[in-house]
Amino acid sequence: MSQRPFDDSQQGASLSLLALTKPLSTLALALAVVLPNYAQAQVQAETQAQTQTQAQEQDTLLLAKGYVDVAKGKTIEDAAIVVRGNQIVSVGHQGRVAKQGDYRVVDLKDKYLLPGVMDMHVHLSSDAEDNFLESMNYSIPRQTVKAVKNARNTLMAGFTTVRDLGASGYSVIATRDAIDAGEIPGPRIWAVGHALSITGGHCDDNFAAPEAHSVAAGVADGPWAVRQKVRENIKYGANAIKICATGGVFSKGTKVGVQQYSEQELAAAADEAHRRGLVIAAHAHGTSGIKAAIRAGIDSIEHCSFMDEEAIKMAVKAGTYLSCDIYNTEYTLAFGEANGVPQANIEKEKQVSKAQRDSFRRATLAGAKMVFGSDAAIYPHGDNGKQFSRMVTFGMTPAQALQAATVNSAALIQQEDKLGQLKPGFYADIIAVDGDPLADISLMERVSFVMKDGVIYKD
């Protein structure tokens, strides 16, 4: 049945009201699903302001068996850390801290403290467990609710800072702003808004039928269109930028190793981002796209699957950060089919998994700057810590793996004087595990204490 045209104002108002209620109904349904499991987080959010006030009025003394000096890659025993408000004011041994002060004492006994860890590649508004194709039709309100849920799961896993590298409708930017306002719990977020893509490339909407004329919001062709799209993302709150330089695993009609954007377009994106003081990431699996992105001045390369020796040398010389998601392949190959991932995409995952881990190993040996980037949403949010053990298996020491998720990631997002270490003057983002992670890196999969910005979220 065809829809009649707007004949009069009464009919127009009625149809407008109907159009308005549809997304609201979608949001209400989504909230009805999520909120029963979210009650505890809601209570925390409601009391956060009160807790923050207490932290500002009274110093907190954290006592633990030890802490990890991530910059030096060593463990210090008998840890005592004093937190005032949202900052660390002292770090040292228990015997050197005056315990007679007016402290709120938190005795973590046999635990070891670390700075909150960081994941430089997540997608908070998506869930790996959802049906792959059906989830592409989720409304923006539905995706935003998912981002709220996944932000909390990520924080509770000990990841106090993340970089979200692509979400529809600025949903994660809204989530970030709510976290910053103290309305919901979650990590610090650097969010790109819409990832930039060529027409028909990875990050465009290629699964819809041609007659739908569906185009992803990040599509931009040509240097000036690329600049305009960077500016548009910034206009709506992006504090990082991403561009898709090559084909990808989970897109339709793209070849993983084939370069999409020209070097001129990549350079335009990098120049525009840097002009506005933002860090830019490039999704790049293939060798030519990786090299073009490095020459264009991109700050971090995501995935890095097919790196030859020249590409690795270029990254080392340019100081380009490499982000290799070497855990999620296990989840995709084990559960992708059950989650509705098309066979063509699973086959592409098989093409990159071994090559990516080999590139990771060789780049680590060459001394490239490595950050922790897991591509959360390809596996369930909250399992981010599982990548640590794989980083050690495929070439890093435990200290290097922790440095990738702390000091290196902080330097990438230009926060090395505020985040990533347990030092006076740094933000009080502190986590704890039940043992020395330098002796057993798998402990990072079971974070038992989380403090972010001086507020305790998990104890």
Side-chain angles (χ1 to χ4, degrees):
M1 180 182 295
S2 62
Q3 180 176 315
R4 291 180 295 170
F6 291 104
D7 293 327
D8 52 53
S9 60
Q10 183 176 5
Q11 185 183 35
S14 176
L15 289 172
S16 297
L17 180 60
L18 179 61
L20 178 62
T21 57
K22 285 184 178 180
L24 292 177
S25 298
T26 301
L27 178 57
L29 178 60
L31 287 170
V33 174
V34 172
L35 286 178
N37 296 324
Y38 198 69
Q40 182 180 358
Q42 184 64 27
V43 171
Q44 286 179 310
E46 291 173 353
T47 60
Q48 183 173 342
Q50 180 181 351
T51 306
Q52 183 67 54
T53 300
Q54 180 183 4
Q56 291 172 343
E57 293 175 350
Q58 185 181 31
D59 290 353
T60 298
L61 174 61
L62 299 177
L63 303 176
K65 186 173 182 179
Y67 75 92
V68 180
D69 183 332
V70 290
K72 295 181 180 178
K74 66 178 184 179
T75 302
I76 310 298
E77 299 297 324
D78 298 321
I81 297 178
V82 177
V83 173
R84 179 173 302 147
N86 69 342
Q87 290 191 334
I88 297 170
V89 295
S90 72
V91 179
H93 295 282
Q94 293 182 19
R96 298 177 184 176
V97 175
K99 297 182 181 179
Q100 292 78 18
D102 184 22
Y103 296 125
R104 176 179 60 145
V105 178
V106 179
D107 190 350
L108 297 173
K109 302 184 184 302
D110 292 334
K111 300 183 188 297
Y112 282 75
L113 301 172
L114 304 92
V117 287
M118 310 182 200
D119 193 333
M120 293 292 99
H121 194 139
V122 304
H123 298 279
L124 292 173
S125 61
S126 302
D127 277 323
E129 306 95 314
D130 289 347
N131 181 274
F132 181 78
L133 294 176
E134 289 180 7
S135 63
M136 292 182 180
N137 293 316
Y138 286 166
S139 67
I140 301 304
R142 183 73 178 95
Q143 293 178 56
T144 306
V145 171
K146 283 190 169 290
V148 170
K149 170 182 70 73
N150 292 329
R152 178 185 180 274
N153 290 344
T154 302
L155 177 64
M156 294 306 172
F159 287 79
T160 55
T161 299
V162 300
R163 187 173 55 156
D164 189 284
L165 290 184
S168 299
Y170 306 105
S171 52
V172 172
I173 290 175
T175 303
R176 177 201 66 197
D177 293 347
I179 292 169
D180 291 348
E183 297 167 348
I184 57 174
R188 304 176 191 275
I189 297 176
W190 271 253
V192 305
H194 298 118
L196 275 66
S197 171
I198 64 167
T199 297
H202 186 73
C203 297
D204 192 5
D205 180 9
N206 299 338
F207 284 93
E211 56 268 27
H213 301 291
S214 180
V215 178
V219 168
D221 297 307
W224 285 108
V226 164
R227 288 182 183 274
Q228 187 275 333
K229 191 59 64 174
V230 170
R231 293 167 183 172
E232 182 179 279
N233 275 322
I234 296 172
K235 174 182 179 179
Y236 294 113
N239 54 352
I241 298 294
K242 177 187 175 183
I243 188 166
C244 294
T246 75
V249 171
F250 289 95
S251 51
K252 180 181 179 181
T254 71
K255 295 181 179 179
V256 177
V258 173
Q259 184 175 337
Q260 294 185 162
Y261 272 113
S262 68
E263 189 173 326
Q264 184 182 18
E265 290 168 309
L266 293 168
D271 179 65
E272 199 63 43
H274 294 157
R275 187 192 311 277
R276 303 293 291 275
L278 301 188
V279 171
I280 182 169
H283 160 106
H285 285 281
T287 308
S288 63
I290 292 170
K291 292 177 182 178
I294 294 171
R295 287 192 297 265
I298 299 293
D299 298 299
S300 71
I301 308 298
E302 309 301 309
H303 308 300
C304 315
S305 296
F306 302 107
M307 294 190 79
D308 62 14
E309 294 305 316
E310 181 185 24
I312 292 174
K313 289 178 181 178
M314 288 173 64
V316 172
K317 183 177 180 180
T320 308
Y321 289 86
L322 304 181
S323 171
C324 303
D325 49 319
I326 59 172
Y327 161 67
N328 62 42
T329 186
E330 298 173 28
Y331 183 88
T332 298
L333 297 181
F335 301 104
E337 184 176 356
N339 293 337
V341 178
Q343 190 60 39
N345 299 97
I346 292 176
E347 290 303 316
K348 286 201 284 185
E349 178 60 45
K350 292 177 181 178
Q351 292 173 26
V352 305
S353 58
K354 185 177 184 299
Q356 186 186 47
R357 289 173 166 183
D358 182 61
S359 292
F360 173 86
R361 179 186 59 79
R362 290 183 291 108
T364 298
L365 287 173
K369 292 181 177 180
M370 310 292 284
V371 296
F372 186 107
S374 71
D375 211 354
I378 304 301
Y379 67 90
H381 295 275
D383 284 350
N384 312 55
K386 291 183 178 180
Q387 180 162 292
F388 281 107
S389 63
R390 278 61 173 185
M391 295 168 82
V392 171
T393 297
F394 293 101
M396 283 188 171
T397 64
Q400 287 176 317
L402 292 176
Q403 287 163 353
T406 53
V407 289
N408 291 3
S409 290
L412 169 59
I413 59 174
Q414 302 172 347
Q415 298 293 307
E416 61 267 38
D417 60 341
K418 300 175 183 178
L419 298 172
Q421 295 189 64
L422 300 179
K423 291 180 63 175
F426 278 54
Y427 286 128
D429 292 2
I430 304 170
I431 64 174
V433 294
D434 298 333
D436 182 359
L438 293 178
D440 180 3
I441 196 65
S442 71
L443 291 167
M444 298 303 297
E445 300 174 22
R446 302 176 296 279
V447 171
S448 55
F449 173 88
V450 177
M451 170 186 280
K452 179 208 155 194
D453 219 29
V455 176
I456 297 173
Y457 288 89
K458 184 177 184 180
D459 186 2

